[in-house]
Each structure stands twice: as C-alpha cells, then as structure tokens.
Amino acid sequence: MPLGIERREGDDSLPRHDLQGNLDLVVLKTLAQRGRLHGYGIVLHIHSESDELLQVEEGSLYPALHRMEQSGWINSEWALTETGRRAKYYRLTAAGRKQLNEAEASFERLVKGVRAMLRYA
C-alpha cells in the first residue's frame, strides 16, 4: 500500500512511490515520539517532522490505522479534542514498539543497500 503522499505541482515533496510500503513505519514512529494522537495529529506530525516532504492522505492513513490496530500494534480510544470535538486517539502498544524496532532495522538495511549501489552509479 502506498504511503499516500500527496504531491502538488511545484512542491518539493517526494513522489508517491518513494516511500511505498513505509506508512506503518512513519505512523508507529510518530506514536512512539508523540504518544497518544488522533489521526489528524498524526498527519500533521509526519508533515512537519519530514520538513514538509511527506503529506499523508487520510484515505491511506485510516485503513492503515485500522490494520495496525487489528495487528495489535496500536490501540485506540474515543476522547475529546482540544476544541471539544470527539475523535479517536491512537497509542503504541508493546507489540507496536517491537514492530517499530523491526521496521526501523529493515529500513536501515534498505538504505544501506541503496547507498552502496549509488556509489557505483
């Protein structure tokens, strides 16, 4: 499943396929860094912490959150936002922290391999 990066003409964001398959990684990392967040908060955090290179589409995020919750990597609860609106808040579980560690290690191996290949390009 693509990360759901939205690219607007004239912007510097990455093409949609550049981080394909890594939505779980960035969502789990966000929850590890920030603790409990609602979906829109996750979107904002990823966008700001990526120097505005990643724009996660809600149409990609919510199915991924549901899948991660079914996998036991995150749990959720309904609560009120700062503006009094009801929203679902997500939190990383112990299984999610383990999955995050594995995903980070896998991503680092991928980056190492790509860097090695680029030396010969």
Side-chain angles (χ1 to χ4, degrees):
M1 172 180 278
L3 179 59
I5 299 172
E6 184 178 299
R7 186 177 173 95
R8 294 183 181 93
E9 192 171 325
D11 73 13
D12 292 331
S13 65
L14 298 172
R16 157 176 265 130
H17 58 79
D18 280 1
L19 288 174
Q20 187 171 2
N22 290 295
L23 179 57
D24 291 359
L25 172 61
V26 296
V27 169
L28 293 173
K29 186 66 173 183
T30 295
L31 293 174
Q33 291 172 338
R34 296 292 310 270
R36 191 180 89 141
L37 280 176
H38 52 70
Y40 187 65
I42 293 169
V43 167
L44 291 177
H45 181 78
I46 291 169
H47 186 66
S48 67
E49 291 302 308
S50 69
D51 294 328
E52 300 182 359
L53 291 172
L54 304 181
Q55 181 69 38
V56 178
E57 298 171 356
E58 291 182 34
S60 298
L61 177 65
Y62 290 105
L65 288 169
H66 179 73
R67 183 177 35 74
M68 286 186 272
E69 189 170 16
Q70 294 297 312
S71 297
W73 300 344
I74 62 175
N75 57 31
S76 66
E77 64 183 357
W78 289 96
L80 295 179
T81 65
E82 309 78 41
T83 60
R85 208 179 107 249
R86 196 166 175 255
K88 200 171 197 182
Y89 282 79
Y90 301 90
R91 183 185 313 268
L92 192 63
T93 64
R97 190 163 303 280
K98 180 179 181 207
Q99 176 61 29
L100 172 60
N101 291 336
E102 292 171 6
E104 284 181 315
S106 177
F107 186 79
E108 289 302 323
R109 286 190 303 274
L110 172 65
V111 169
K112 182 179 179 182
V114 170
R115 282 191 182 133
M117 291 300 300
L118 290 177
R119 283 193 297 251
Y120 301 105

